[in-house]
Amino acid sequence: MRKESSTNALNEKLLKDTCGMAYALSILGGRWKPAILCRLVHGKMRYSDLKNSIPHISERMLIAQLRELEKDQVIRRIVHAVVPPRVDYELTELGQTMKPLLSAMSNWGNMHRSKTVPEHELTKEECLLTSEEV
Amino acid sequence: MRKESSTNALNEKLLKDTCGMAYALSILGGRWKPAILCRLVHGKMRYSDLKNSIPHISERMLIAQLRELEKDQVIRRIVHAVVPPRVDYELTELGQTMKPLLSAMSNWGNMHRSKTVPEHELTKEECLLTSEEV
DNA sequence: CTCATTTCTTACTTTTTTGTTAGTACCATA
DNA sequence: TATGGTACTAACAAAAAAGTAAGAAATGAG
């Protein structure tokens, strides 16, 4: 449970309120959010498909990060009245506006991580956003 | 001191190694990094000027975040052999390549935080990156 | 009845990040 | 000596993020 009046919280709020970049980063930041967003950019996904497509993610973490993205209005949650349960997630209109940004980040990251990660440690890129997809 | 073989650390490394977006976010993420970067984009700054220009930042946090950015090769630290001591910080060439990305984030953030922050709470934007500055 | 599927929630633990405080080094000046 | 300026480091505390494990709900099938 987050405190609302800690120095920490107040600093965060101040920075988010005065700096667009800090605001954007507060929305995108989170261990598993990049992986989630990179998948949803390609289109609506079912919870279980999303979970199965991300190696090593726990249900606890997946749901927590989805809930945050939903709260920030970047994604929407679509519940189907079926059994077994079915829940889909997709980018909202606001989320769609992030596509150019997500693509720029992905491209920059892919272009430059090879500068700092030894080549024999480079692994298959699983998250590719190209300009055609934006 | 960070553990190197916790699940947490291993997950982070896996994601950074397989997703350009996660990599970029890992470099930019940190409470005070956006404020620092927004200032250094405009040109080299002296440590004390940097500190005085960011409200509420402690020396501890400023130096810690500068050290991380330096380690990630985004900024360089320039020591002058004078008294009183003088240290400047500036973007590296790699840091310069981030300018379009920083600008995109700033613009997106400024465009959309008004959607989620009540209007009477909006404060003066202190961090503006325009396309002319990129 | 049991087992399976899907999608969560809750309680707690571990790890990491951020913040507080005290102190340091190297001068220069009074 | 004390005080001031600049730029840190180290130790610890508080807060937040991430991870582990257990349990729940609503069916449907055997």
Side-chain angles (χ1 to χ4, degrees), chain B residues 3 16 21 29 32 38-40 42-43 48 52-53 60 64 70 73 81 84-85 89 91 95 102 107 117 130:
Chain B
K3 295 195 168 191
K16 275 167 60 179
M21 194 178 143
W32 301 97
C38 282
R39 288 162 169 74
L40 292 184
H42 298 299
S48 51
N52 293 330
S53 74
R60 162 104 178 59
E70 191 188 355
Q73 299 170 48
Y89 290 90
L91 290 190
L102 301 182
N107 292 336
V117 181
T130 62

Side-chain angles (χ1 to χ4, degrees), chain A residues 65-77:
Chain A
Q65 306 265 273
L66 286 170
R67 290 296 187 181
E68 276 182 40
L69 287 167
E70 190 188 357
K71 187 187 156 208
D72 288 329
Q73 302 169 43
V74 173
I75 66 171
R76 82 171 52 93
R77 180 169 169 269

Side-chain angles (χ1 to χ4, degrees), chain A residues 96-110:
Chain A
Q96 297 280 350
T97 69
M98 290 190 108
K99 277 185 167 180
L101 178 55
L102 300 181
S103 178
M105 292 178 77
S106 184
N107 291 335
W108 189 91
N110 289 326

Side-chain angles (χ1 to χ4, degrees), chain B residues 101-113:
Chain B
L101 177 55
L102 301 182
S103 178
M105 292 178 77
S106 185
N107 292 336
W108 188 91
N110 290 326
M111 207 179 315
H112 296 290
R113 68 183 168 117

Side-chain angles (χ1 to χ4, degrees), chain B residues 71-88:
Chain B
K71 184 187 158 209
D72 289 328
Q73 299 170 48
V74 173
I75 66 172
R76 80 170 55 89
R77 179 169 169 270
I78 303 150
V79 182
H80 297 259
V82 295
V83 171
R86 175 181 184 131
V87 176
D88 292 336

